[in-house]
Every structure is written in structure tokens, then in C-alpha cells.
DNA sequence: CTACTTTAATTACCTAGGTAACTAATTTAT
DNA sequence: ATAAATTAGTTACCTAGGTAATTAAAGTAG
């Protein structure tokens, strides 16, 4: 089977979704990377930067940058942990207050973009993609071990 | 249904695949963006930059940059068309000669990454994602029309 | 207790891709 | 035929995310 096309479609879909999300968030002065951090913090409460990186599967340097921007905007604050290397990140009262607006806009966008895709199919895609992602990560590691 | 997760998985999978592809191409001094152009040129023959942009669904500015890099490496050359605005891009003899090596490396990687994913499932995913992409693009346009 | 190693985060620099503004060539309209 | 609008490509600048090298704090030998 022609895997080029499959990978290209994934890449294209990913970019298109990011573009739409950025467009949706623009009126709020937010970008997708910022939003993803705020979303996780709302869901999970305070977290260290490393925990955020692990959860979002992003390397540390971009995370540092995203958090610094969120701090500058006043949407997030850093608290020093017992371990003085660690920086614990949590939402400010301000961002907790505005959060529902952001979420509503994103949910509305998600709904609009997936109009016509039945719920079963969304679930099915999620399952397929998740298992594919795990597979890719495993086989990537195998590739490295053979070096 | 929770669309956040679906979109996040797509994004993550896309990044993971790009990372792997870059790793595979590194020994050849190529990056994914370059490879995607070379792949299309091999498949379709000479094309204008706009045609390349349309085919790969990429905006013009990044394409300009990618092509300039490929020219600097001697893998691609520009020919002026009848319409003197247009730049027709084609592979050089050199890159045609090396191409099979690049392709072999990529095909091997694709195969390795999808080990354990049956062929039917790959095809199924491609179908699902393609239809989802079309859907998203249509609904994105509708969003714009409502402004 | 000291020396080595690991870990959290940052800094610097790279590629990818998007938007806005611009130039130059070609169409289209008047 | 000339003016206006469109089109191809470029330039400048932005965000996203990755790697390598660095710093500072903890942990782990010896």
C-alpha cells in the first residue's frame, strides 16, 4: 500500500486543524500552543513543566517559551516547589475566569469542523490513530536500538 | 464525544512521523519539506511552483524557501516558462540518479513504523482521514462565509 | 564529605509553515 | 490603448516544535 499518501494526509489534516484553531483563538490573543497548556492545567490542576511536557508530548524548550508567554499575559503563574529545580505552573484567577469563553469558542469550532462526521466514526478514528501512534513510537525505538 | 483528544492525537502523530522522517533523511542532507518536493517532482515531472504548492497544500513562501535550498544543493533547477512570471521546477540529473537511495530509505522507514498495522487498516485510515480532511476544509470555508 | 551522575529548566539555533505586504508580469475592462 | 485587476513569486516576520549545549539543584557513589 502507498504509505506516502497516508502520512501526507495526516500531516495536512494536522496543519489544517491548527490553522483553524489559531483563527478561532485569535480574538482572544491566544495561539494553539498556549491553549493546549491552559486546557491541560484546567483539567489536571497545577503541574510542573516536565509533567506538562510529558502530557502534551512536547520537548522542554518550546514549553518554556509557551509558559513565558502565558506568564507575560498574566494567564499563568510559576510557584517554586520543594525541589528548587522544579517550577510548578498554575492558572491565575484571571484566566480561570475567562476560560469558559475560550472553551466555548473551541468547542464550537470543533463541532463545526466535524459536522457530517458521525460520532461513531470520530471514536473509531481516535482509536485507530491512538493505536497507530503507539505502534509508530514502539517501532521508532526499535529502529534506534539497531544502530 | 471528546474532540480534544482526537485532534491532539492527530497532531502528535503528525509530529512523530515528521521527526522519524527527518531522522531517516539526515544522512542524505535532506529534510522532510525537501523530500516531499522531490517525491512529487519524480512522480509528476516538471511543475511550476504554484502547482507544487497546490499539490502539497503548502503556501507559496515556504515553498520558495524549500526550492531555493534544493537549488543550492543542486537537486533541482528552475526554468523560465513562456509566461515570464512562472518558474518551472525540475529535478537535475544528479538528483534523479540519487533518488532511488532516498526512496529506499523512506520506504523502509514507512514499513518499519507501520509494522503490526494490517494493510486493510492502513487503507481504512487513509479513507477516513481523507474524508475528514475534506469535511474540515468545507466546514472551515462555511465558517468564513458567515463572517 | 567529596566527586560523579542525573534531572529540571533555560538558552541558542535549526526547520516547517502561516500571514501580510510587495514586485513584476499578464489579463481584463473600459 | 490604457487603466485596473489578477496572478506568480519573493521578502519579512510570526508561531510551533526539535536538537545540542549549559546551568543549577538533587541524588548517589566512593
Amino acid at each position: 500500500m502507498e504509505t506516502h499518501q497516508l502520512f501526507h494526509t495526516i500531516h495536512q489534516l494536522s496543519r489544517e486543524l491548527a490553522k483553524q484553531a489559531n483563527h478561532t483563538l485569535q480574538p482572544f490573543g491566544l495561539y494553539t500552543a498556549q491553549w493546549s497548556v491552559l486546557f491541560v492545567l484546567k483539567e489536571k490542576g497545577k503541574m510542573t513543566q516536565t509533567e506538562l511536557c510529558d502530557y502534551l508530548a512536547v520537548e522542554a524548550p518550546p514549553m518554556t517559551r509557551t509558559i513565558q508567554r502565558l506568564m507575560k499575559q498574566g494567564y499563568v503563574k510559576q510557584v517554586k516547589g520543594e525541589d528548587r529545580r522544579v517550577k510548578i505552573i498554575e492558572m491565575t484567577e484571571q484566566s480561570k475566569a475567562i476560560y469558559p469563553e475560550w472553551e466555548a469558542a473551541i468547542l464550537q469550532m470543533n463541532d463545526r469542523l466535524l459536522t457530517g462526521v458521525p460520532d461513531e466514526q470520530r471514536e473509531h478514528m481516535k482509536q485507530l490513530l491512538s493505536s497507530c501512534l503507539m505502534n509508530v513510537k514502539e517501532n521508532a525505538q526499535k529502529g534506534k536500538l539497531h544502530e
Side-chain angles (χ1 to χ4, degrees), chain A:
Chain A
M1 186 233 169
E2 200 49 82
T3 44
H4 292 297
Q5 251 183 295
L6 173 57
F7 290 175
H8 181 242
T9 304
I10 292 169
H11 188 219
Q12 213 180 318
L13 185 51
S14 170
R15 279 186 297 137
E16 187 63 37
L17 291 173
K19 209 196 295 186
Q20 292 301 318
N22 277 325
H23 191 260
T24 299
L25 291 168
Q26 191 182 332
F28 305 103
L30 286 176
Y31 287 89
T32 54
Q34 270 117 304
W35 162 249
S36 70
V37 168
L38 292 166
F39 175 75
V40 173
L41 288 176
K42 183 72 178 183
E43 208 82 344
K44 302 280 175 183
K46 54 180 74 168
M47 291 174 91
T48 68
Q49 290 194 200
T50 300
E51 285 169 340
L52 278 168
C53 288
D54 290 347
Y55 196 85
L56 292 172
V58 160
E59 299 299 323
M63 184 55 75
T64 294
R65 186 182 53 204
T66 300
I67 286 170
Q68 283 173 350
R69 286 179 190 167
L70 283 170
M71 288 204 306
K72 195 170 283 176
Q73 289 172 293
Y75 292 151
V76 132
K77 60 186 172 191
Q78 279 180 345
V79 181
K80 280 179 189 161
E82 292 251 324
D83 185 332
R84 279 182 306 181
R85 290 170 302 183
V86 161
K87 294 182 177 172
I88 297 167
I89 312 298
E90 59 181 64
M91 290 176 81
T92 59
E93 293 309 314
Q94 187 200 352
S95 71
K96 280 182 194 166
I98 317 175
Y99 186 89
E101 283 186 55
W102 300 332
E103 190 181 37
I106 288 285
L107 286 176
Q108 193 186 323
M109 179 201 72
N110 288 355
D111 247 43
R112 198 188 74 231
L113 292 183
L114 291 185
T115 301
V117 180
D119 206 73
E120 297 167 25
Q121 196 163 316
R122 300 182 194 189
E123 195 66 46
H124 188 195
M125 279 176 62
K126 204 190 72 185
Q127 302 292 348
L128 277 177
L129 291 168
S130 292
S131 80
C132 186
L133 176 59
M134 286 200 307
N135 215 298
V136 164
K137 284 200 161 182
E138 275 175 37
N139 294 326
Q141 284 216 328
K142 281 179 195 166
K144 281 197 172 177
L145 293 178
H146 280 282
E147 274 169 12

